[in-house]
Amino acid sequence: MKEFTSEELVTFNGKDGKPVYIAFERKVYDVSKSPLWSSGLHMNRHPSGKDLTGEISAAPHGTEVFERYPQVGILKKGPPEELKHLPPVLQDLLQIFPMARRHPHPMIVHFPLAFLMGASLFILLHLLFKKPAFEITSFYLFILGAISSPFAMVTGLLTWWVNYRLKLTLFVKRKIQLSILLLILEIILIFWRGSNPAMTSPLYFILVILLTPIVGLLGYYGGQMTFPTEKSDTVKG
Ligand code: HEM
Ligand code: HEM
């Protein structure tokens, strides 16, 4: 039976008249005849030409689907193609913990998103109802947001390196610019409000409200990368 390296396998992705192959537990299957794989991308998210062993847990079906398609070879052991740009230590680590390839960033981003939006909301409530408790709540939420946002940025840089090979797309560029803006704003607000507990400056209130569109845009650009909006003219049926 033919042996495939991950470099060879990656070319069997349905493009340029090539057949569609996928690997599961080191067995390579030809799924070209499946309408669900003929485009090379299964269910709009699983690319062919690679080992998908780790991804089956996301499927609504089990491994019985492989019985319908012929095995055409076996996959040679070695780091998968999509990790080869990383230093060997990181390649090994990500093979032991495949979850760390994509999950840390989306897991962590919820914290700055929720805390910083909460800080904006409570400053609005303070402006409406003039209750000092709302202003203090806003400040504490802001502190939690400011503590968690660097973790979101570091994991963002990591997923950009692991999954996008540091390719500077427009969305990534915007995310880096907005992250720098957010960091600067956080430093200013911490020192300003920290040394002025009886804050009355309208500029401070405006800056706290601005946190919401900034993290909102960071999340929006991220979401557009993970789940790109389908253009209506490309939707079939
Ligand atoms: C979000 C993840 C996934 C979804 C929603 C999904 C969905 C589906 C559905 C609805 C079918 C048709 C079910 C059937 O005929 O019994 C199917 C078939 C299949 N899936 Fe998946 N799947 C996912 C992930 C995967 C992965 C990771 C693999 C490979 C490791 C895979 C391999 C297959 C194969 C080989 C078939 C048979 C295709 C056919 O008979 O035409 N799927 N999938
Ligand atoms: C506080 C700052 C940040 C927030 C709130 C944020 C938020 C998000 C969100 C909500 C997603 C979508 C996750 C998903 O739907 O699974 C995302 C994805 C992403 N973000 Fe960020 N992000 C931040 C900073 C960064 C930075 C500094 C970078 C580095 C360039 C970055 C790079 C990415 C990439 C590459 C994705 C796509 C991940 C993937 O496809 O697996 N993010 N971000």
Side-chain angles (χ1 to χ4, degrees):
M1 197 155 263
K2 186 169 164 35
E3 278 206 1
F4 292 85
T5 60
S6 58
E7 286 102 323
E8 280 164 349
L9 188 61
V10 90
T11 62
F12 292 95
N13 57 4
K15 299 209 177 90
D16 307 321
K18 283 267 201 170
V20 185
Y21 290 176
I22 53 175
F24 179 74
E25 290 180 344
R26 299 202 44 228
K27 291 181 180 159
V28 178
Y29 296 90
D30 181 352
V31 290
S32 312
K33 292 217 170 82
S34 164
L36 294 174
W37 280 98
S38 51
S39 71
L41 191 67
H42 183 52
M43 310 317 279
N44 229 353
R45 74 192 88 156
H46 302 287
S48 52
K50 59 176 276 207
D51 182 6
L52 294 168
T53 309
E55 293 179 32
I56 195 91
S57 56
H61 52 72
T63 55
E64 74 287 348
V65 288
F66 295 107
E67 288 160 18
R68 300 177 199 157
Y69 294 92
Q71 185 185 347
V72 289
I74 33 177
L75 183 64
K76 269 195 191 155
K77 273 212 169 117
E81 197 53 32
E82 68 267 22
L83 297 181
K84 289 219 170 117
H85 61 295
L86 301 169
V89 192
L90 201 56
Q91 286 184 19
D92 294 346
L93 219 70
L94 292 178
Q95 284 186 89
I96 300 167
F97 304 108
M99 194 199 164
R101 291 185 201 175
R102 277 212 119 109
H103 290 247
H105 190 54
M107 276 163 74
I108 286 180
V109 293
H110 295 85
F111 293 91
L113 278 164
F115 286 135
L116 295 176
M117 286 185 175
S120 300
L121 177 69
F122 273 90
I123 217 71
L124 277 175
L125 290 175
H126 169 65
L127 292 173
L128 277 176
F129 300 107
K130 308 273 175 270
K131 277 207 191 277
F134 285 150
E135 196 278 327
I136 291 168
T137 307
S138 164
F139 182 55
Y140 287 152
L141 286 173
F142 165 70
I143 300 261
L144 292 173
I147 291 171
S148 54
S149 59
F151 291 95
M153 292 170 198
V154 170
T155 53
L157 289 167
L158 192 73
T159 190
W160 181 40
W161 185 24
V162 172
N163 300 306
Y164 294 78
R165 300 175 185 225
L166 301 180
K167 205 168 161 268
L168 194 63
T169 62
L170 178 67
F171 289 162
V172 171
K173 200 168 153 193
R174 292 277 174 276
K175 291 193 69 151
I176 293 174
Q177 289 164 338
L178 285 165
S179 294
I180 294 169
L181 178 70
L182 182 63
L183 274 180
I184 294 171
L185 194 59
E186 285 171 346
I187 292 167
I188 293 173
L189 291 177
I190 285 191
F191 282 105
W192 193 6
R193 170 60 177 77
S195 55
N196 280 296
M199 179 60 78
T200 52
S201 165
L203 180 62
Y204 172 81
F205 298 138
I206 292 170
L207 291 181
V208 176
I209 291 166
L210 260 182
L211 293 167
T212 288
I214 293 175
V215 280
L217 273 176
L218 275 161
Y220 170 76
Y221 288 132
Q224 283 297 314
M225 297 176 73
T226 327
F227 302 108
T229 314
E230 284 185 37
K231 299 236 165 49
S232 55
D233 58 354
T234 62
V235 175
K236 295 190 188 88

Tab-separated table of all heavy atoms in Angstrom, residues 22 24 31 34-37 42-43 45-46 52 55-56 58-61 65-66 68-69, ligand 1:
chain	number	residue	atom	x	y	z
A	22	ILE	N	-8.264	12.015	2.496
A	22	ILE	CA	-8.168	12.448	3.897
A	22	ILE	C	-7.523	11.309	4.691
A	22	ILE	O	-7.650	10.140	4.313
A	22	ILE	CB	-9.544	12.795	4.508
A	22	ILE	CG1	-10.556	11.649	4.334
A	22	ILE	CG2	-10.104	14.078	3.919
A	22	ILE	CD1	-11.887	11.881	5.025
A	24	PHE	N	-7.151	9.346	8.401
A	24	PHE	CA	-7.739	9.145	9.721
A	24	PHE	C	-7.012	7.980	10.365
A	24	PHE	O	-6.914	6.903	9.772
A	24	PHE	CB	-9.247	8.855	9.594
A	24	PHE	CG	-9.899	8.624	10.923
A	24	PHE	CD1	-10.134	9.695	11.781
A	24	PHE	CD2	-10.244	7.351	11.337
A	24	PHE	CE1	-10.709	9.490	13.022
A	24	PHE	CE2	-10.817	7.140	12.579
A	24	PHE	CZ	-11.048	8.209	13.417
A	31	VAL	N	-11.951	10.112	-0.833
A	31	VAL	CA	-13.368	10.483	-0.669
A	31	VAL	C	-13.851	11.345	-1.844
A	31	VAL	O	-14.856	12.046	-1.729
A	31	VAL	CB	-13.613	11.217	0.679
A	31	VAL	CG1	-13.476	10.276	1.853
A	31	VAL	CG2	-12.674	12.406	0.847
A	34	SER	N	-17.521	11.435	-2.799
A	34	SER	CA	-18.531	11.946	-1.864
A	34	SER	C	-18.907	13.380	-2.219
A	34	SER	O	-18.035	14.241	-2.330
A	34	SER	CB	-17.985	11.925	-0.440
A	34	SER	OG	-18.795	12.750	0.374
A	35	PRO	N	-20.217	13.650	-2.382
A	35	PRO	CA	-20.620	15.034	-2.644
A	35	PRO	C	-20.261	15.957	-1.480
A	35	PRO	O	-20.123	17.167	-1.650
A	35	PRO	CB	-22.145	14.963	-2.815
A	35	PRO	CG	-22.547	13.548	-2.612
A	35	PRO	CD	-21.350	12.711	-2.317
A	36	LEU	N	-20.090	15.369	-0.287
A	36	LEU	CA	-19.777	16.194	0.883
A	36	LEU	C	-18.289	16.547	0.971
A	36	LEU	O	-17.867	17.290	1.847
A	36	LEU	CB	-20.197	15.472	2.174
A	36	LEU	CG	-21.700	15.255	2.350
A	36	LEU	CD1	-21.978	14.402	3.570
A	36	LEU	CD2	-22.414	16.591	2.475
A	37	TRP	N	-17.496	15.959	0.073
A	37	TRP	CA	-16.059	16.240	0.092
A	37	TRP	C	-15.545	16.753	-1.252
A	37	TRP	O	-14.385	17.171	-1.354
A	37	TRP	CB	-15.275	14.962	0.442
A	37	TRP	CG	-15.250	14.657	1.904
A	37	TRP	CD1	-16.061	13.783	2.566
A	37	TRP	CD2	-14.385	15.217	2.903
A	37	TRP	NE1	-15.757	13.760	3.897
A	37	TRP	CE2	-14.717	14.633	4.133
A	37	TRP	CE3	-13.351	16.160	2.868
A	37	TRP	CZ2	-14.077	14.951	5.320
A	37	TRP	CZ3	-12.702	16.472	4.056
A	37	TRP	CH2	-13.067	15.877	5.255
A	42	HIS	N	-14.869	19.872	3.734
A	42	HIS	CA	-16.045	19.165	4.255
A	42	HIS	C	-16.797	20.065	5.222
A	42	HIS	O	-16.215	20.615	6.155
A	42	HIS	CB	-15.557	17.905	4.979
A	42	HIS	CG	-16.633	17.016	5.510
A	42	HIS	ND1	-17.680	16.553	4.746
A	42	HIS	CD2	-16.816	16.482	6.748
A	42	HIS	CE1	-18.450	15.773	5.497
A	42	HIS	NE2	-17.956	15.722	6.718
A	43	MET	N	-18.084	20.220	5.000
A	43	MET	CA	-18.961	21.000	5.866
A	43	MET	C	-18.393	22.406	6.111
A	43	MET	O	-18.502	22.954	7.198
A	43	MET	CB	-19.210	20.309	7.218
A	43	MET	CG	-19.647	18.862	7.135
A	43	MET	SD	-20.869	18.507	5.871
A	43	MET	CE	-22.377	19.011	6.653
A	45	ARG	N	-15.623	23.467	6.730
A	45	ARG	CA	-14.558	23.723	7.698
A	45	ARG	C	-13.424	22.708	7.744
A	45	ARG	O	-12.334	23.048	8.164
A	45	ARG	CB	-15.130	23.976	9.095
A	45	ARG	CG	-15.643	22.788	9.836
A	45	ARG	CD	-16.428	23.220	11.035
A	45	ARG	NE	-17.812	23.422	10.667
A	45	ARG	CZ	-18.814	23.358	11.529
A	45	ARG	NH1	-18.571	23.188	12.799
A	45	ARG	NH2	-20.055	23.507	11.137
A	46	HIS	N	-13.648	21.464	7.300
A	46	HIS	CA	-12.575	20.477	7.418
A	46	HIS	C	-11.874	20.294	6.076
A	46	HIS	O	-12.451	19.738	5.145
A	46	HIS	CB	-13.117	19.137	7.909
A	46	HIS	CG	-13.798	19.258	9.233
A	46	HIS	ND1	-13.108	19.445	10.405
A	46	HIS	CD2	-15.108	19.267	9.560
A	46	HIS	CE1	-13.965	19.550	11.406
A	46	HIS	NE2	-15.186	19.450	10.920
A	52	LEU	N	-7.092	14.118	9.797
A	52	LEU	CA	-8.215	14.732	10.520
A	52	LEU	C	-8.598	13.928	11.770
A	52	LEU	O	-9.699	14.100	12.297
A	52	LEU	CB	-9.426	14.848	9.579
A	52	LEU	CG	-9.248	15.806	8.399
A	52	LEU	CD1	-10.360	15.635	7.386
A	52	LEU	CD2	-9.195	17.245	8.867
A	55	GLU	N	-10.026	15.784	14.623
A	55	GLU	CA	-11.200	16.618	14.385
A	55	GLU	C	-12.513	15.839	14.386
A	55	GLU	O	-13.588	16.424	14.363
A	55	GLU	CB	-11.044	17.390	13.064
A	55	GLU	CG	-9.925	18.397	13.162
A	55	GLU	CD	-9.686	19.192	11.896
A	55	GLU	OE1	-10.637	19.452	11.156
A	55	GLU	OE2	-8.515	19.539	11.662
A	56	ILE	N	-12.415	14.508	14.400
A	56	ILE	CA	-13.638	13.711	14.294
A	56	ILE	C	-14.562	13.937	15.496
A	56	ILE	O	-15.781	13.804	15.380
A	56	ILE	CB	-13.315	12.198	14.107
A	56	ILE	CG1	-14.540	11.406	13.624
A	56	ILE	CG2	-12.794	11.573	15.375
A	56	ILE	CD1	-14.644	11.307	12.152
A	58	ALA	N	-15.586	16.544	16.594
A	58	ALA	CA	-16.525	17.633	16.336
A	58	ALA	C	-17.647	17.183	15.396
A	58	ALA	O	-18.582	17.929	15.146
A	58	ALA	CB	-15.787	18.810	15.704
A	59	ALA	N	-17.555	15.962	14.875
A	59	ALA	CA	-18.509	15.525	13.848
A	59	ALA	C	-19.771	14.933	14.473
A	59	ALA	O	-19.712	14.341	15.554
A	59	ALA	CB	-17.859	14.488	12.954
A	60	PRO	N	-20.905	15.083	13.787
A	60	PRO	CA	-22.136	14.477	14.307
A	60	PRO	C	-22.207	12.974	14.005
A	60	PRO	O	-23.178	12.327	14.317
A	60	PRO	CB	-23.245	15.229	13.565
A	60	PRO	CG	-22.611	15.671	12.296
A	60	PRO	CD	-21.156	15.879	12.575
A	61	HIS	N	-21.151	12.449	13.349
A	61	HIS	CA	-21.134	11.022	13.013
A	61	HIS	C	-19.879	10.387	13.606
A	61	HIS	O	-18.965	11.089	14.047
A	61	HIS	CB	-21.137	10.828	11.490
A	61	HIS	CG	-20.056	11.610	10.809
A	61	HIS	ND1	-18.727	11.282	10.887
A	61	HIS	CD2	-20.111	12.747	10.066
A	61	HIS	CE1	-18.017	12.152	10.212
A	61	HIS	NE2	-18.813	13.078	9.711
A	65	VAL	N	-18.327	6.240	8.863
A	65	VAL	CA	-18.355	6.878	7.535
A	65	VAL	C	-17.171	6.425	6.663
A	65	VAL	O	-17.266	6.445	5.438
A	65	VAL	CB	-18.359	8.422	7.637
A	65	VAL	CG1	-19.699	8.937	8.125
A	65	VAL	CG2	-17.233	8.928	8.529
A	66	PHE	N	-16.079	6.004	7.308
A	66	PHE	CA	-14.907	5.607	6.518
A	66	PHE	C	-15.114	4.270	5.806
A	66	PHE	O	-14.411	3.975	4.853
A	66	PHE	CB	-13.652	5.556	7.397
A	66	PHE	CG	-13.288	6.909	7.927
A	66	PHE	CD1	-13.485	7.231	9.259
A	66	PHE	CD2	-12.796	7.887	7.075
A	66	PHE	CE1	-13.187	8.493	9.737
A	66	PHE	CE2	-12.496	9.155	7.543
A	66	PHE	CZ	-12.693	9.457	8.871
A	68	ARG	N	-17.370	3.573	3.901
A	68	ARG	CA	-17.958	3.771	2.562
A	68	ARG	C	-16.914	4.090	1.501
A	68	ARG	O	-17.215	4.151	0.324
A	68	ARG	CB	-18.924	4.947	2.607
A	68	ARG	CG	-20.034	4.748	3.573
A	68	ARG	CD	-20.880	6.015	3.593
A	68	ARG	NE	-21.682	6.038	4.800
A	68	ARG	CZ	-22.175	7.135	5.329
A	68	ARG	NH1	-21.960	8.305	4.760
A	68	ARG	NH2	-22.894	7.077	6.419
A	69	TYR	N	-15.684	4.371	1.913
A	69	TYR	CA	-14.683	4.849	0.953
A	69	TYR	C	-13.419	3.999	0.998
A	69	TYR	O	-13.042	3.495	2.052
A	69	TYR	CB	-14.394	6.334	1.207
A	69	TYR	CG	-15.634	7.134	0.892
A	69	TYR	CD1	-16.565	7.414	1.885
A	69	TYR	CD2	-15.938	7.459	-0.417
A	69	TYR	CE1	-17.758	8.055	1.578
A	69	TYR	CE2	-17.127	8.099	-0.739
A	69	TYR	CZ	-18.033	8.396	0.260
A	69	TYR	OH	-19.202	9.001	-0.065
B	1	HEM	C1	-18.061	19.832	12.255
B	1	HEM	C2	-17.665	18.673	11.850
B	1	HEM	C3	-18.411	17.784	10.894
B	1	HEM	C4	-19.712	17.812	10.462
B	1	HEM	C5	-20.805	18.816	10.831
B	1	HEM	C6	-19.891	16.677	9.576
B	1	HEM	C7	-21.082	16.349	8.973
B	1	HEM	C8	-21.289	15.251	8.176
B	1	HEM	C9	-22.564	14.781	7.689
B	1	HEM	C10	-23.920	15.427	8.003
B	1	HEM	C11	-22.317	13.692	6.935
B	1	HEM	C12	-23.361	12.821	6.259
B	1	HEM	C13	-23.716	11.801	7.289
B	1	HEM	C14	-23.940	10.455	6.746
B	1	HEM	O1	-23.950	10.287	5.524
B	1	HEM	O2	-24.058	9.537	7.582
B	1	HEM	C15	-20.903	13.455	6.916
B	1	HEM	C16	-20.257	12.443	6.240
B	1	HEM	C17	-18.894	12.188	6.280
B	1	HEM	N1	-17.963	12.820	7.082
B	1	HEM	FE1	-18.329	14.372	8.273
B	1	HEM	N2	-18.709	16.016	9.476
B	1	HEM	C18	-17.774	16.645	10.255
B	1	HEM	C19	-16.451	16.292	10.436
B	1	HEM	C20	-15.812	15.263	9.780
B	1	HEM	C21	-14.408	14.919	9.923
B	1	HEM	C22	-13.422	15.658	10.859
B	1	HEM	C23	-14.157	13.876	9.099
B	1	HEM	C24	-12.870	13.145	8.856
B	1	HEM	C25	-12.072	12.798	9.836
B	1	HEM	C26	-15.400	13.553	8.409
B	1	HEM	C27	-15.558	12.550	7.475
B	1	HEM	C28	-16.737	12.236	6.848
B	1	HEM	C29	-16.878	11.202	5.830
B	1	HEM	C30	-15.761	10.327	5.271
B	1	HEM	C31	-18.240	11.176	5.489
B	1	HEM	C32	-18.899	10.291	4.454
B	1	HEM	C33	-19.254	11.137	3.281
B	1	HEM	C34	-20.254	10.469	2.351
B	1	HEM	O3	-20.721	9.365	2.628
B	1	HEM	O4	-20.526	11.074	1.291
B	1	HEM	N3	-16.389	14.412	8.862
B	1	HEM	N4	-20.285	14.415	7.696
